[in-house]
Amino acid sequence: MRILVAAHNHPALHPGGTEIFAHDLFRAYQRAGHEALFLGATNQIHRQARPGTSFQGLGGAGDEILLWSGHFDRFNMSQIDLYGVVPDLVELLSDFRPDVVHIHHLLLIGAEFPHIVRRTLPDCRIVMTLHDYYPICHHDGLMVRTGSKELCHAASPDRCHACFKDIPLDRFALRERHLKALLRPVDRFVAPSHFLRQRYVEWDLAEDTLSVIPNGLPPRAKPATAKSHGTGPTVFGYFGNLNPWKGTTVLLEAARQLIAEGFEFELRVHGGAPFQSEAFVEEIDRRFGETAPTVQRRGPYRREDVAGLVAAVDCTVVPSIWWENAPLVIQEAQAQGRPVIASNIGGMAELVQDGVNGLTIAPNDPRALASAMRRFAEEPELGRRLSRNARRPDDIDTTARRYLDLIETIEPARVSKQHEVRANAC
């Protein structure tokens, strides 16, 4: 088959979990013998426009391209420059003629994309992996209230207007209808967690179109530099971008409390703080200063180094305060046999079972996090048991096979439905 994999960026430009997984799956499709093309959308943050075309090349193999999407309506998740972008997308689809289009996000690509695919290639099968809650929630897909940072359990025009008082209530109702209409051409939706699937069921996506396929990781050898447990202070690790929703300030406050108690440990914070507000950057700079040298700010890291960095700590901490779907960092830690301390919400609660392969805590609670870190360090046998029970994630080739099996089920069902509609029309 020919498979077009589309994401809202490229891991070489923005190494987020969605982009990384989409690119890993693209390579797995190729290893399975299929002809795959990766389409990553980008804007002026990473690339400038090139007059005359919406596309830019990436790499030398010719199987990865960028769609420049500098004019984008984030509220409606729609293209503004329809005259420029749509003809180029139609031309790409007409030239490559994919049998399958696998969409990983609507940002920058545009919610119109499934309709463009269906109109250009009526027999093309369309799969969309749901990685977050962007179609449901205008607050960067977080489902967290803008003022109180309270977790949001359901979206509605009233609740959304309360978060964004400058946006009229009726626009949220129209946004929902707009996005649901544009998602209708999608044949199958996939969620990496049962939690996220249920959120979209409650949002009224057809339940029989929603499947769960856990994310997978590329196979990696066990690093030779793995930490020796029981030597020196307990070493905790954080891996990922630093932002308010990842619980960065919660983690640093928990560390400050432990230091004030005289507790001996080490915390290695791996990750940068791209595109964050000046106030947030100033706050974490101050907190890092207060907690050094116990807390080490180690900065961004390369994807190929993550296995070794994870293996070099005793426990990975994932203190996110939003409904994370399926964090790759938890999978990376479990793949290296490392326990995880994580917030007990969203997809995190599916990956980490308290007292079995890690410890879970209430989100946005520095005292609870400090208590869990102290318990882990003071009970060596607990750490060893949690390590033994680490749940190794699927490898990405297994995940690709599951997607391909799902894709094989699509066409007969859709063709049958089309014949039924035609018969009824007659």
Side-chain angles (χ1 to χ4, degrees):
M1 291 188 295
R2 288 185 174 182
I3 305 175
L4 175 65
V5 177
H8 62 320
N9 216 306
H10 190 286
L13 305 178
H14 188 274
T18 298
E19 295 91 334
I20 289 171
F21 173 73
H23 196 266
D24 286 346
L25 192 59
F26 152 69
R27 291 300 186 201
Y29 284 149
Q30 290 182 326
R31 286 193 296 274
H34 302 284
E35 184 180 354
L37 177 69
F38 188 91
L39 173 65
T42 189
N43 59 17
Q44 62 272 13
I45 294 175
H46 299 290
R47 289 287 185 98
Q48 292 301 312
R50 294 181 184 174
T53 179
S54 301
F55 298 116
Q56 302 180 16
L58 191 71
D63 57 2
E64 301 177 66
I65 57 176
L66 297 174
L67 168 70
W68 196 84
S69 182
H71 309 289
F72 190 77
D73 175 1
R74 291 183 71 91
F75 181 77
N76 290 305
M77 301 186 74
S78 291
Q79 289 290 343
I80 294 174
D81 185 17
L82 294 176
Y83 288 106
V85 172
V86 172
D88 285 346
L89 285 173
V90 170
E91 185 176 0
L92 173 68
L93 291 166
S94 300
D95 287 348
F96 185 59
R97 300 198 68 79
D99 302 293
V100 179
V101 170
H102 189 164
I103 302 168
H104 287 267
H105 219 290
L106 298 176
L107 273 182
L108 299 182
I109 290 176
E112 302 84 3
F113 188 51
H115 266 281
I116 295 169
V117 174
R118 179 63 70 235
R119 189 175 67 236
T120 308
L121 301 169
D123 295 327
C124 183
R125 287 165 279 186
I126 305 174
V127 176
M128 181 174 174
T129 299
L130 302 163
H131 291 278
D132 52 37
Y133 314 95
Y134 259 95
I136 302 175
C137 175
H138 175 52
H139 187 201
D140 293 329
L142 294 167
M143 295 199 74
V144 176
R145 308 309 296 275
T146 54
S148 63
K149 294 185 180 179
E150 168 197 355
L151 288 166
C152 183
H153 292 264
S156 70
D158 285 316
R159 289 177 64 81
C160 296
H161 173 65
C163 281
F164 297 93
K165 296 186 184 302
D166 57 327
I167 301 176
L169 185 147
D170 61 338
R171 285 195 62 201
F172 285 103
L174 291 171
R175 177 186 187 271
E176 181 178 338
R177 294 185 65 180
H178 163 80
L179 290 174
K180 285 179 177 176
L182 292 177
L183 288 173
R184 282 186 196 129
V186 176
D187 292 305
R188 291 289 188 278
F189 296 93
V190 175
S193 72
H194 292 277
F195 180 88
L196 185 136
R197 179 187 185 275
Q198 184 58 32
R199 279 296 164 93
Y200 277 93
V201 168
E202 293 166 1
W203 194 61
D204 287 336
L205 284 190
E207 191 166 0
D208 61 353
T209 68
L210 280 156
S211 301
V212 175
I213 299 178
N215 291 342
L217 291 179
R220 294 194 180 93
K222 202 82 167 175
T225 56
K227 185 180 186 301
S228 254
H229 291 282
T231 59
T234 300
V235 180
F236 297 95
Y238 171 91
F239 304 88
N241 288 328
L242 309 181
N243 64 52
W245 316 112
K246 293 287 188 182
T248 304
T249 55
V250 176
L251 176 64
L252 295 176
E253 173 57 22
R256 186 198 66 77
Q257 292 179 13
L258 290 171
I259 293 169
E261 296 171 7
F263 185 73
E264 290 190 12
F265 69 103
E266 183 181 317
L267 172 60
R268 300 173 184 175
V269 179
H270 297 273
F275 317 122
Q276 298 305 308
S277 69
E278 185 176 333
F280 175 76
V281 172
E282 288 177 355
E283 180 181 4
I284 63 170
D285 285 347
R286 174 179 60 79
R287 289 183 178 275
F288 274 116
E290 292 173 348
T291 54
T294 299
V295 177
Q296 303 171 14
R297 189 175 189 175
R298 298 205 168 190
Y301 53 92
R302 301 183 308 162
R303 176 87 193 284
E304 51 266 39
D305 296 332
V306 68
L309 296 173
V310 168
V313 305
D314 295 307
C315 180
T316 293
V317 184
V318 186
S320 295
I321 65 171
W322 73 287
W323 311 103
E324 289 260 21
N325 172 29
L328 287 178
V329 64
I330 293 179
Q331 293 183 303
E332 295 281 8
Q334 294 284 278
Q336 299 302 324
R338 292 294 179 266
V340 178
I341 298 174
S343 301
N344 61 353
I345 54 173
M348 295 178 287
E350 294 178 31
L351 294 172
V352 181
Q353 186 177 352
D354 188 50
V356 177
N357 62 331
L359 300 175
T360 61
I361 55 167
N364 212 5
D365 188 340
R367 189 171 297 277
L369 176 55
S371 177
M373 293 169 69
R374 188 189 308 107
R375 179 188 173 196
F376 179 87
E378 291 178 343
E379 300 180 28
E381 179 52 38
L382 171 66
R384 287 189 285 270
R385 185 176 78 247
L386 300 179
S387 293
R388 288 194 300 270
N389 293 335
R391 297 172 178 171
R392 267 64 175 185
D394 289 334
D395 66 77
I396 192 67
D397 294 317
T398 298
T399 303
R401 285 195 297 272
R402 290 179 175 166
Y403 272 99
L404 292 167
D405 289 344
L406 176 66
I407 288 165
E408 288 298 324
T409 70
I410 292 173
E411 191 165 18
R414 176 155 51 79
V415 171
S416 174
K417 188 173 182 180
Q418 289 173 344
H419 287 166
E420 181 182 342
V421 169
R422 289 170 188 156
N424 290 337
C426 293

